[in-house]
Amino acid sequence: MAKKFGKVLMVTAALGAVAAGVYYYLQGKDDFVDDNFDDDDDFDNFDDDLDDDETAKEADRNYVDLDLEKAEEFKEGLDAAKVEVTDKVVGAAKAVGEAVDTVKEEAAEAVTDATEKTTDAVKEAADTVKKAAEKTEVKVEEFFDDDDSDGSMDAM
């Protein structure tokens, strides 16, 4: 029983840790990305180092427009994945809760059975002690004999 309880407790702890990790990851993912870009500020001004030749090369550079539709689709995909993971975590948490309830019920039954067995054993022991006490005779040894009537000092 103790081994099963230990295993259930370890599984519960592991699932709780996984659920907490996923929850904190999903909650802090957007904040983490925003915070990382703030740390990259160098505050160095490299405009003074540019030569005329480099500025001419940069002027010929082509820019690529961003596809906002793909970005929206990606964001929707992330939201769907977030909902799916949240559902899995909630399902796992419910399963863990049910397992804990089952273990509680089994433990309560075991305690009840142990209490009944202990009570029965105590009653049997009490009956045995009563029977043994009834069988034994009380023997009292008197050191002084109070019935001395010979006039000696022992009777006083």
Side-chain angles (χ1 to χ4, degrees):
M1 185 68 179
K3 289 182 181 181
K4 287 183 182 180
F5 181 71
K7 287 180 182 180
V8 170
L9 186 63
M10 292 301 290
V11 168
T12 302
L15 288 175
V18 168
V22 169
Y23 175 77
Y24 284 116
Y25 173 74
L26 292 175
Q27 291 295 325
K29 182 174 59 170
D30 296 330
D31 296 337
F32 180 72
V33 172
D34 293 341
D35 289 344
N36 282 343
F37 289 120
D38 292 338
D39 294 340
D40 292 336
D41 293 337
D42 288 338
F43 302 111
D44 291 335
N45 190 2
F46 294 107
D47 290 338
D48 298 336
D49 296 337
L50 297 176
D51 294 333
D52 293 332
D53 294 334
E54 291 178 15
T55 56
K57 289 179 185 177
E58 289 179 11
D60 294 336
R61 190 168 68 180
N62 292 331
Y63 292 97
V64 177
D65 292 331
L66 296 177
D67 190 6
L68 296 179
E69 291 177 12
K70 286 184 181 178
E72 288 295 324
E73 289 175 7
F74 182 73
K75 186 176 180 182
E76 290 173 2
L78 283 178
D79 291 340
K82 191 183 289 186
V83 167
E84 182 180 338
V85 168
T86 303
D87 290 342
K88 287 182 180 179
V89 168
V90 168
K94 286 180 181 178
V96 168
E98 291 172 1
V100 168
D101 291 341
T102 303
V103 169
K104 284 181 181 178
E105 290 172 4
E106 289 176 1
E109 290 174 6
V111 167
T112 304
D113 291 342
T115 303
E116 290 174 0
K117 288 179 182 179
T118 304
T119 305
D120 292 341
V122 168
K123 286 180 182 178
E124 288 177 18
D127 290 341
T128 304
V129 169
K130 284 181 183 177
K131 288 177 184 177
E134 290 173 359
K135 288 181 182 179
T136 59
E137 294 178 17
V138 177
K139 293 184 180 181
V140 178
E141 184 178 329
E142 294 184 22
F143 291 105
F144 300 107
D145 194 12
D146 292 337
D147 295 335
D148 288 341
S149 59
D150 59 356
S152 65
M153 295 297 282
D154 293 337
M156 293 186 182

